[in-house]
Amino acid sequence: MVNQDAFKYNPSYWAFFFSFLYTAGLIGQSGKKYLSEVAKRPKNIQEELANKFDKGLALDSIKASLFWPKIAIQEAIDGTGIVEEGDYYTF
């Protein structure tokens, strides 16, 4: 159990908290970017990628998602981050 006063006096708890939050957001945003790029490809390439992971596209997705808090705020303002009913990524 974590002491409630630990967050007041120990900045390492805050560093861990924000590092975890940033990493989780980075994984989510880069995965979303990767899946949206794969979905734009023709169907035969999608079937090929189902068996093979495109490392170059994954690294590009991670690089594009490094500033995910800015991207997430902009999506919330524009309303583009909301997925419509039935508009899910499926393979």
Side-chain angles (χ1 to χ4, degrees), residues 30-83:
S30 61
K32 178 181 165 184
K33 176 90 171 148
Y34 180 85
L35 289 176
S36 67
E37 290 296 323
V38 169
K40 291 177 186 175
R41 294 181 176 184
K43 194 68 170 173
N44 60 348
I45 296 176
Q46 286 182 11
E47 291 170 2
E48 179 184 325
L49 285 178
N51 297 325
K52 181 181 173 187
F53 187 69
D54 189 355
K55 295 173 192 74
L57 179 59
L59 290 175
D60 289 341
S61 299
I62 292 170
K63 188 170 51 171
S65 300
L66 287 175
F67 298 106
W68 72 263
K70 179 183 179 291
I71 296 168
I73 291 170
Q74 191 63 43
E75 286 179 352
I77 292 170
D78 296 341
T80 58
I82 300 170
V83 177

Side-chain angles (χ1 to χ4, degrees), residues 2 9 11 16 27 44 66-67 72 78 80 85 87 89:
V2 176
Y9 304 113
F16 174 76
I27 291 169
N44 60 348
L66 287 175
F67 298 106
D78 296 341
T80 58
E85 183 71 30
D87 190 21
Y89 298 115

Side-chain angles (χ1 to χ4, degrees), residues 1-21:
M1 185 88 192
V2 176
N3 185 358
Q4 296 296 333
D5 293 330
F7 283 103
K8 284 188 208 173
Y9 304 113
N10 194 347
S12 67
Y13 284 111
W14 287 106
F16 174 76
F17 173 74
F18 286 115
S19 298
F20 177 81
L21 183 67

